[in-house]
Amino acid sequence: MKSITPFLWFDHQAEEAARFYVSVFENSRLGDITRYGPEGPGDEGSVMTVSFELRGQEFVALNGGPLFSFTQAISFVVNCDTQREIDDLWERLPAGGGRVIQCGWLRDRYGLPWQVVPAALTELMRKGTAAQCSRMMRAMLKMTKLDLRALTDAYGRA
């Protein structure tokens, strides 16, 4: 078990959301499902928590009621090796009622914020000159879905 597990609060869609995330990401699996007992606070027998794993990262989803919702103050970054992977996640994560935002950000149908980014972006930003990073940042700020080729072209321009 990981020492830190993200715990996601849903109104009543914890199992549905966990199954959706497991279907989107390769090397993922659904874990244990716990149910509310007679003491509640949910209806007896209804799903309380669902554990699941996405690419080796453990999560727990809770059906806690409508008290809280997700904000962009917390998001999950998905580092992608290829443009094909970016394109696939960009299509699948917001499907069914989510929305795309800007600079690789989107929200899924449950309102959870994600950042779908090329894995190379961090490395380029770390090792690049100020001019290279600035060109790449200017290019990125014009994008909704990140385009790996356009970012690396902007980075490499003299």
Side-chain angles (χ1 to χ4, degrees):
M1 180 177 282
K2 303 263 185 211
S3 61
I4 298 176
T5 302
F7 195 89
L8 307 173
W9 181 298
F10 293 87
D11 180 359
H12 62 279
Q13 319 92 324
E15 183 177 7
E16 176 186 319
R19 289 184 186 282
F20 171 69
Y21 300 138
V22 166
S23 77
V24 168
F25 293 97
E26 293 180 10
N27 302 318
S28 300
R29 66 177 185 81
L30 200 61
D32 295 326
I33 297 175
T34 62
R35 300 192 178 276
Y36 283 107
E39 65 283 347
D43 293 337
E44 184 175 1
S46 67
V47 172
M48 180 171 62
T49 64
V50 180
S51 64
F52 60 103
E53 187 177 295
L54 305 178
R55 295 183 174 176
Q57 173 63 55
E58 293 182 18
F59 291 83
V60 174
L62 165 76
N63 282 330
L67 298 173
F68 303 107
S69 58
F70 301 115
T71 74
Q72 281 182 229
I74 299 281
S75 64
F76 293 106
V77 176
V78 183
N79 292 296
C80 301
D81 292 327
T82 66
Q83 187 65 45
R84 174 176 270 186
E85 186 180 4
I86 292 168
D87 294 346
D88 180 59
L89 291 174
W90 195 257
E91 184 176 314
R92 295 176 75 190
L93 277 171
R99 66 184 177 92
V100 298
I101 304 171
Q102 181 181 340
C103 299
W105 288 71
L106 58 83
R107 283 181 174 267
D108 65 32
R109 67 180 88 169
Y110 307 103
L112 188 62
W114 298 84
Q115 297 178 58
V116 179
V117 301
L121 183 66
T122 302
E123 180 65 15
L124 292 172
M125 293 296 280
R126 187 184 63 73
K127 73 177 188 177
T129 66
Q132 287 172 312
C133 294
S134 179
R135 286 191 307 267
M136 194 167 57
M137 184 61 71
R138 280 194 307 273
M140 185 174 70
L141 290 173
K142 295 176 186 174
M143 297 177 186
T144 305
K145 175 178 67 175
L146 298 186
D147 180 328
L148 178 56
R149 175 178 232 106
L151 290 170
T152 56
D153 285 352
Y155 180 88
R157 265 190 309 244

